[in-house]
Amino acid sequence: MNPDLPPADETARPLEVGERVQLTDPKGRMHTITLEAGKEFHTHRGAIRHDDLIGRSEGIVVESTAQTPYLALRPLLTDYVLSMPRGAQVIYPKDAAQIISEGDIHPGARVLEAGAGSGALTCSLLRAVGPGGHVTSYEVRQDHADVAVSNVETFFGGRPANWTLRVADLAAIGQGPDADAAFDRVILDMLAPWEPLGEVATRLRPGGVLVGYVATVPQLSRLVESLRAHGNFTEPQAWETLVRPWHVVGLAVRPDHRMIAHTAFLVSSRRLSDGVTPPARHRKPTTARAATAGESIGSEQPFGHANAADPEGSGGAAGGARLRGRLP
């Protein structure tokens, strides 16, 4: 054994009572069970004895009473997220991976999460910051907070010491126990993430990263314009992720018939030092109406779209000319 190598991961130990195990049948259908001595898991293809798994290594094949083989593995975090009980919609693994990477969530980071939901992203954040970091989650709904606590504790086998959950509105952070706290990263998964930007900017250290997660185009536009109007953030970056599996069997190599397309938009920006004005961003020329629509997004005025119909209702060549080139 090489003494310079770190110890093996704790999941290399044999399967134990109380652990979750994922069973996969020959058709790829997955079942997650919690091991109990003397218990059986029944399927339409026979029963599987828990005792046939307890004390053995993962990555084995067990047979049901009907001689159907099942592959037994500990579930990955992605498997757990897609099968966990839900109070609110979970952040899918493809978006969680982008948040961890683009948000530069690193070991030892102090992360503020607004919108714990069902705890899916919280699990990824806690893993990323490690025992030397800390995640503080805000959730306004008690029922969602209860689901998040249950899911996080189930995944980690108990309440993580580096996690604090507060059932409160992030807008009131200035009156709570985190009034003087400072954070390295902020993740906003909420209906109106532009509303607490003032409170967030106060507690996000200079150079820190803010990542917003929104579902719709109006939310995306208003968050980006609000970050620009705030003045203490760099030029926001916005994107979405699309995952397309591929079918690969011999010479039959083609895109799969299904894909994971739009789930949400992501927006990232970095905190500037107090008193610093960001350099003016050079953009393509835009019409007065498009500029006006963009400026109104961060205000209390109703949302206006740059391609809205001509209020005068005029058509023809003149109307067509007005409709062209309105997007910035």
Side-chain angles (χ1 to χ4, degrees), residues 164-278:
T164 300
L165 174 63
R166 306 198 188 284
V167 183
D169 190 343
L170 181 63
I173 189 173
Q175 291 76 48
D178 298 313
D180 299 323
F183 298 95
D184 303 303
R185 305 290 185 262
V186 174
I187 314 297
L188 301 179
D189 174 20
M190 50 197 300
L191 184 62
W194 50 85
E195 291 181 350
L197 284 183
E199 297 288 349
V200 166
T202 301
R203 288 157 187 84
L204 181 61
R205 67 166 178 81
V209 181
L210 178 147
V211 179
Y213 178 92
V214 293
T216 68
V217 170
Q219 288 175 301
L220 169 67
S221 186
R222 185 159 184 178
L223 175 57
V224 168
E225 295 299 342
S226 295
L227 285 167
R228 287 174 178 155
H230 187 277
N232 282 121
F233 291 94
T234 60
E235 175 68 13
Q237 303 297 316
W239 74 99
E240 64 177 336
T241 61
L242 310 176
V243 176
R244 184 172 70 173
W246 274 68
H247 172 87
V248 182
V249 179
L251 296 178
V253 181
R254 56 170 173 75
D256 207 343
H257 295 306
R258 294 184 178 183
M259 68 177 293
I260 306 174
H262 174 78
T263 48
F265 297 105
L266 294 168
V267 177
S268 69
S269 183
R270 300 190 68 178
R271 173 75 155 84
L272 297 171
S273 294
D274 292 334
V276 173
T277 301

Side-chain angles (χ1 to χ4, degrees), residues 87-88 115-117 138-148 165-169:
Y138 276 72
E139 175 56 57
V140 294
R141 290 183 53 170
Q142 183 66 57
D143 55 338
H144 288 176
D146 293 340
V147 174
L165 174 63
R166 306 198 188 284
V167 183
D169 190 343

Side-chain angles (χ1 to χ4, degrees), residues 34-143:
T34 301
L35 295 178
E36 297 182 36
K39 194 172 181 179
E40 291 184 339
F41 173 67
H42 291 268
T43 76
H44 68 290
R45 291 180 174 270
I48 300 172
R49 298 174 61 245
H50 288 210
D51 291 342
D52 291 341
L53 296 165
I54 296 173
R56 301 182 65 184
S57 171
E58 63 175 322
I60 62 173
V61 175
V62 295
E63 288 190 347
S64 68
T65 53
Q67 283 75 55
T68 300
Y70 283 82
L71 176 63
L73 290 164
R74 288 185 175 92
L76 302 176
L77 175 56
T78 54
D79 301 320
Y80 180 67
V81 165
L82 296 177
S83 64
M84 64 167 50
R86 302 182 183 185
Q89 176 65 38
V90 300
I91 292 182
Y92 276 79
K94 73 181 183 71
D95 294 323
Q98 287 282 300
I99 291 172
I100 297 297
S101 177
E102 296 292 337
D104 193 37
I105 312 297
H106 57 81
R110 299 159 297 175
V111 179
L112 173 63
E113 177 193 23
S118 296
L121 180 62
T122 307
C123 290
S124 294
L125 294 174
L126 288 168
R127 268 191 166 183
V129 302
H134 195 89
V135 176
T136 302
S137 302
Y138 276 72
E139 175 56 57
V140 294
R141 290 183 53 170
Q142 183 66 57
D143 55 338

